[in-house]
PDB file of all heavy atoms in Angstrom:
ATOM      1  N   GLU A 372      31.730  -2.325 -22.888  1.00 98.00           N
ATOM      2  CA  GLU A 372      32.367  -3.553 -23.369  1.00 98.00           C
ATOM      3  C   GLU A 372      31.294  -4.528 -23.860  1.00 98.00           C
ATOM      4  O   GLU A 372      30.270  -4.705 -23.182  1.00 98.00           O
ATOM      5  CB  GLU A 372      33.166  -4.209 -22.269  1.00 98.00           C
ATOM      6  CG  GLU A 372      34.416  -3.398 -21.916  1.00 98.00           C
ATOM      7  CD  GLU A 372      35.179  -3.990 -20.735  1.00 98.00           C
ATOM      8  OE1 GLU A 372      34.537  -4.546 -19.821  1.00 98.00           O
ATOM      9  OE2 GLU A 372      36.414  -3.868 -20.744  1.00 98.00           O
ATOM     10  N   ASP A 373      31.541  -5.151 -25.015  1.00 98.00           N
ATOM     11  CA  ASP A 373      30.512  -6.019 -25.627  1.00 98.00           C
ATOM     12  C   ASP A 373      29.186  -5.261 -25.761  1.00 98.00           C
ATOM     13  O   ASP A 373      28.114  -5.848 -25.626  1.00 98.00           O
ATOM     14  CB  ASP A 373      30.312  -7.293 -24.805  1.00 98.00           C
ATOM     15  CG  ASP A 373      31.494  -8.222 -24.917  1.00 98.00           C
ATOM     16  OD1 ASP A 373      32.130  -8.226 -25.996  1.00 98.00           O
ATOM     17  OD2 ASP A 373      31.762  -8.928 -23.960  1.00 98.00           O
ATOM     18  N   GLY A 374      29.255  -3.957 -25.966  1.00 98.00           N
ATOM     19  CA  GLY A 374      28.081  -3.142 -26.128  1.00 98.00           C
ATOM     20  C   GLY A 374      27.311  -2.863 -24.850  1.00 98.00           C
ATOM     21  O   GLY A 374      26.210  -2.292 -24.909  1.00 98.00           O
ATOM     22  N   CYS A 375      27.885  -3.246 -23.735  1.00 98.00           N
ATOM     23  CA  CYS A 375      27.176  -3.104 -22.432  1.00 98.00           C
ATOM     24  C   CYS A 375      27.976  -2.223 -21.461  1.00 98.00           C
ATOM     25  O   CYS A 375      29.197  -2.206 -21.511  1.00 98.00           O
ATOM     26  CB  CYS A 375      26.971  -4.455 -21.786  1.00 98.00           C
ATOM     27  SG  CYS A 375      25.791  -5.511 -22.684  1.00 98.00           S
ATOM     28  N   VAL A 376      27.248  -1.578 -20.577  1.00 98.00           N
ATOM     29  CA  VAL A 376      27.839  -0.910 -19.437  1.00 98.00           C
ATOM     30  C   VAL A 376      27.487  -1.713 -18.192  1.00 98.00           C
ATOM     31  O   VAL A 376      26.311  -2.014 -17.953  1.00 98.00           O
ATOM     32  CB  VAL A 376      27.329   0.533 -19.299  1.00 98.00           C
ATOM     33  CG1 VAL A 376      27.896   1.215 -18.037  1.00 98.00           C
ATOM     34  CG2 VAL A 376      27.686   1.341 -20.541  1.00 98.00           C
ATOM     35  N   ALA A 377      28.490  -2.090 -17.424  1.00 98.00           N
ATOM     36  CA  ALA A 377      28.243  -2.812 -16.168  1.00 98.00           C
ATOM     37  C   ALA A 377      27.686  -1.845 -15.163  1.00 98.00           C
ATOM     38  O   ALA A 377      28.127  -0.690 -15.057  1.00 98.00           O
ATOM     39  CB  ALA A 377      29.537  -3.420 -15.657  1.00 98.00           C
ATOM     40  N   LEU A 378      26.672  -2.287 -14.430  1.00 98.00           N
ATOM     41  CA  LEU A 378      26.062  -1.449 -13.424  1.00 98.00           C
ATOM     42  C   LEU A 378      27.141  -1.011 -12.428  1.00 98.00           C
ATOM     43  O   LEU A 378      27.793  -1.863 -11.826  1.00 98.00           O
ATOM     44  CB  LEU A 378      24.960  -2.214 -12.675  1.00 98.00           C
ATOM     45  CG  LEU A 378      24.157  -1.403 -11.655  1.00 98.00           C
ATOM     46  CD1 LEU A 378      23.294  -0.363 -12.365  1.00 98.00           C
ATOM     47  CD2 LEU A 378      23.287  -2.315 -10.790  1.00 98.00           C
ATOM     48  N   PRO A 379      27.318   0.323 -12.242  1.00 97.00           N
ATOM     49  CA  PRO A 379      28.337   0.742 -11.287  1.00 97.00           C
ATOM     50  C   PRO A 379      28.020   0.206  -9.885  1.00 97.00           C
ATOM     51  O   PRO A 379      26.864   0.239  -9.445  1.00 97.00           O
ATOM     52  CB  PRO A 379      28.236   2.271 -11.314  1.00 97.00           C
ATOM     53  CG  PRO A 379      27.629   2.581 -12.650  1.00 97.00           C
ATOM     54  CD  PRO A 379      26.715   1.442 -12.924  1.00 97.00           C
ATOM     55  N   LYS A 380      29.022  -0.325  -9.236  1.00 91.00           N
ATOM     56  CA  LYS A 380      28.831  -0.813  -7.865  1.00 91.00           C
ATOM     57  C   LYS A 380      28.827   0.385  -6.904  1.00 91.00           C
ATOM     58  O   LYS A 380      28.741   1.517  -7.340  1.00 91.00           O
ATOM     59  CB  LYS A 380      29.963  -1.780  -7.458  1.00 91.00           C
ATOM     60  CG  LYS A 380      30.139  -2.929  -8.413  1.00 91.00           C
ATOM     61  CD  LYS A 380      28.958  -3.869  -8.347  1.00 91.00           C
ATOM     62  CE  LYS A 380      29.115  -5.034  -9.333  1.00 91.00           C
ATOM     63  NZ  LYS A 380      27.827  -5.679  -9.549  1.00 91.00           N
ATOM     64  N   GLY A 381      28.978   0.129  -5.678  1.00 80.00           N
ATOM     65  CA  GLY A 381      29.082   1.241  -4.743  1.00 80.00           C
ATOM     66  C   GLY A 381      27.735   1.829  -4.529  1.00 80.00           C
ATOM     67  O   GLY A 381      26.812   1.642  -5.330  1.00 80.00           O
ATOM     68  N   PRO A 382      27.523   2.596  -3.463  1.00 97.00           N
ATOM     69  CA  PRO A 382      26.192   3.105  -3.152  1.00 97.00           C
ATOM     70  C   PRO A 382      25.745   4.175  -4.129  1.00 97.00           C
ATOM     71  O   PRO A 382      26.553   4.812  -4.783  1.00 97.00           O
ATOM     72  CB  PRO A 382      26.382   3.670  -1.739  1.00 97.00           C
ATOM     73  CG  PRO A 382      27.796   3.996  -1.629  1.00 97.00           C
ATOM     74  CD  PRO A 382      28.540   3.033  -2.494  1.00 97.00           C
ATOM     75  N   GLY A 383      24.442   4.382  -4.216  1.00 98.00           N
ATOM     76  CA  GLY A 383      23.884   5.427  -5.058  1.00 98.00           C
ATOM     77  C   GLY A 383      24.188   5.150  -6.512  1.00 98.00           C
ATOM     78  O   GLY A 383      24.058   4.008  -6.998  1.00 98.00           O
ATOM     79  N   LEU A 384      24.572   6.195  -7.260  1.00 98.00           N
ATOM     80  CA  LEU A 384      24.900   6.038  -8.660  1.00 98.00           C
ATOM     81  C   LEU A 384      26.189   5.260  -8.858  1.00 98.00           C
ATOM     82  O   LEU A 384      26.451   4.733  -9.939  1.00 98.00           O
ATOM     83  CB  LEU A 384      25.022   7.397  -9.351  1.00 98.00           C
ATOM     84  CG  LEU A 384      23.740   8.206  -9.533  1.00 98.00           C
ATOM     85  CD1 LEU A 384      24.082   9.585 -10.129  1.00 98.00           C
ATOM     86  CD2 LEU A 384      22.748   7.484 -10.438  1.00 98.00           C
TER      87      LEU A 384
END
Side-chain angles (χ1 to χ4, degrees):
Chain A
E372 291 176 326
D373 288 329
C375 292
V376 177
L378 185 68
K380 305 292 179 198
L384 290 175

